[in-house]
Amino acid sequence: MKFNKVRPFILSTVGFILVFLSIHTFLAFPRSANKQTTHFNNSNQPVKACFVVLVRNNELDGIMSTMLQLEQTFNAKFNYPYVFLNDDDFTEEFKQQTSSVTRSQTKYGKVDHQMWGYPSYINQTFAAEQRLEMTKLNVPYADSESYRHMCRFQSGFFFRHPLLDEYDYYWRIEPYVDYTCDIDYDVFKFMRNNNKKYGFTIAFREFLQTVPTLWQTVMNFRRENPDVVAHWSSREDSLVKFVSQDGEQSYNGCHFWTNFEIASLDLWRSNDYLKLFHYLDQSGGFFYERWGDAPVHSIAASLMLHKDEFHFFNDIGYRHSAYTHCPAEPEYRDKCSCDPNISLDYKDIMSCLSEYKAAF
């Protein structure tokens, strides 16, 4: 009888000791090492990523040149697929020629009218009048309707195309550009394993005549949607000082040049960004002004992301039109064919790389 009375006490005491030992063991175990092990185990897993390009059939020579350089400097080693998008049907010649220069999978898609065209709420007469006024200011692409459709598509729709549904990361490419450095590591694994969401190689300055109301429209959204903004990085942790240097009173024109963009698709697929884009789209600025996808993406990412989630791909030499990024450090000279003396990074007034670095 006495044992029966004591037994519950003994069992509860033993149980307490076992729980204490378990907690002690858990706390004593080096959890940072456990995280490193998990990180290591994930580091070599394949990444669902692709190249994506908006290109027309008459740009075949240009995209072939781009692909040949990409294959030589990077993709022959890693075999990521290409996704080609067009507002028209691709020709058989385009498909045959582009698929012939890579061992990787090539996919071809058409952009529908919802992604490319005028929304019903746009006053096309007013839009035409505004294009005429902008032409008087000698703004690049001032009178181009297709350029505006492209900017709107790249800002809010490319990542919604069904051909990209299976991917987590993308590398945007363009026809008629140059890649001038050998890349001996997987950039997509680098992005994933280091929790990077947005990568660039040129930080550029926008023509402010093209975006006179963009910043204020973003600020209006921020004021009217505190539930969305609550998810964004704090001002101290964000990259807001890259895009505004006067206490967020105005936009300084700095942006990441989005013709080269390596990023997480989850950034644009997020409800926060989709709500912001919808708000911007409804305002009409893509057509009544000439909002580019570069300032739209850059302002959004700078406000939403933590500054540590950005990455400057200094080691990727790149030329687009008259502007070149070429790494000047000695360790890259054997890997690069470009001339660092013509790199715009710190020499050209159009470069915003100094503003980017000062924002940290």
Side-chain angles (χ1 to χ4, degrees):
M1 291 292 292
K2 288 183 178 180
F3 175 76
N4 289 337
K5 290 181 180 180
V6 174
R7 182 167 56 182
F9 173 76
I10 295 174
L11 292 175
S12 62
T13 302
V14 171
F16 174 80
I17 292 172
L18 290 174
V19 170
F20 174 80
L21 290 173
S22 298
I23 294 173
H24 177 77
T25 302
F26 173 76
L27 292 174
F29 189 83
R31 281 173 287 171
S32 59
N34 188 43
K35 285 185 178 180
Q36 290 175 357
T37 302
T38 302
H39 178 78
F40 177 80
N41 287 339
N42 288 335
S43 64
N44 287 319
Q45 294 298 311
V47 181
K48 295 179 180 179
C50 67
F51 299 103
V52 62
V53 56
L54 181 67
V55 61
R56 291 194 164 117
N57 290 303
N58 61 8
E59 296 173 307
L60 176 59
D61 289 344
I63 197 59
M64 288 279 288
S65 172
T66 296
M67 291 179 68
L68 286 168
Q69 293 176 64
L70 268 177
E71 289 296 313
Q72 180 180 356
T73 59
F74 174 77
N75 204 44
K77 299 183 280 285
F78 299 104
N79 297 311
Y80 282 102
Y82 292 84
V83 175
F84 299 90
L85 301 176
N86 191 350
D87 64 324
D88 198 359
D89 294 312
F90 282 110
T91 64
E92 287 305 311
E93 178 190 13
F94 186 97
K95 294 177 182 178
Q96 291 171 6
Q97 291 288 330
T98 50
S99 62
S100 70
V101 297
T102 179
R103 292 177 299 153
S104 301
Q105 185 180 19
T106 54
K107 301 180 180 182
Y108 305 87
K110 187 175 181 180
V111 177
D112 64 34
H113 294 299
Q114 287 185 330
M115 296 183 176
W116 189 282
Y118 287 105
S120 59
Y121 46 83
I122 293 298
N123 183 331
Q124 296 188 41
T125 301
F126 181 62
E129 293 170 353
Q130 293 303 103
R131 290 196 302 274
L132 182 60
E133 290 301 312
M134 198 169 286
T135 302
K136 297 175 183 178
L137 300 174
N138 295 317
V139 173
Y141 304 105
D143 61 346
S144 175
E145 290 180 87
S146 64
Y147 189 84
R148 287 167 170 81
H149 293 313
M150 180 274 291
C151 290
R152 178 174 178 262
F153 172 77
Q154 297 285 26
S155 295
F157 293 102
F158 86 92
F159 52 89
R160 304 191 227 196
H161 195 284
L163 287 182
L164 272 77
D165 285 350
E166 66 182 281
Y167 302 111
D168 298 325
Y169 295 86
Y170 70 96
W171 181 339
R172 177 174 160 184
I173 63 174
E174 299 269 331
Y176 305 106
V177 301
D178 293 327
Y179 294 92
T180 54
C181 296
D182 289 330
I183 309 164
D184 54 10
Y185 66 98
D186 189 326
V187 299
F188 295 116
K189 286 184 178 179
F190 171 84
M191 293 286 288
R192 182 198 60 193
N193 297 344
N194 292 280
N195 195 34
K196 302 295 183 182
K197 302 293 178 60
Y198 193 91
F200 71 99
T201 192
I202 289 179
F204 208 61
R205 202 173 299 277
E206 184 59 286
F207 295 96
L208 289 176
Q209 301 97 318
T210 67
V211 290
T213 67
L214 174 59
W215 181 258
Q216 188 56 54
T217 307
V218 174
M219 293 299 100
N220 293 343
F221 173 84
R222 190 168 72 173
R223 185 182 65 253
E224 296 170 20
N225 295 270
D227 56 324
V228 175
V229 177
H231 305 148
W232 297 2
S233 289
S234 67
R235 285 179 170 85
E236 294 74 21
D237 292 334
S238 74
L239 205 66
V240 66
K241 291 181 180 179
F242 170 60
V243 293
S244 180
Q245 294 165 300
D246 58 2
E248 303 173 35
Q249 296 300 306
S250 65
Y251 176 43
N252 64 6
C254 286
H255 63 264
F256 305 113
W257 221 11
T258 49
N259 44 70
F260 176 106
E261 197 172 53
I262 302 176
S264 166
L265 285 160
D266 285 345
L267 171 59
W268 314 128
R269 290 168 176 162
S270 68
N271 287 330
D272 289 358
Y273 181 74
L274 291 175
K275 289 177 180 177
L276 172 59
F277 172 77
H278 178 72
Y279 189 94
L280 297 178
D281 199 26
Q282 291 284 321
S283 77
F286 289 105
F287 299 105
Y288 302 147
E289 297 178 11
R290 205 221 68 189
W291 292 356
D293 51 284
V296 170
H297 275 191
S298 301
I299 291 173
S302 295
L303 294 173
M304 293 168 61
L305 297 180
H306 192 286
K307 62 181 67 175
D308 290 340
E309 294 177 305
F310 292 87
H311 181 67
F312 170 40
F313 279 101
N314 180 43
D315 55 341
I316 299 181
Y318 178 69
R319 182 206 60 81
H320 182 281
S321 62
Y323 297 98
T324 295
H325 162 69
C326 184
E329 292 78 4
E331 61 265 31
Y332 300 125
R333 299 320 311 147
D334 290 340
K335 295 182 177 181
C336 300
S337 60
C338 55
D339 180 1
N341 292 314
I342 65 171
S343 188
L344 86 160
D345 294 341
Y346 300 106
K347 301 176 182 178
D348 198 300
I349 60 172
M350 295 301 291
S351 175
C352 275
L353 188 60
S354 295
E355 285 82 349
Y356 169 77
K357 294 195 171 182
F360 282 82

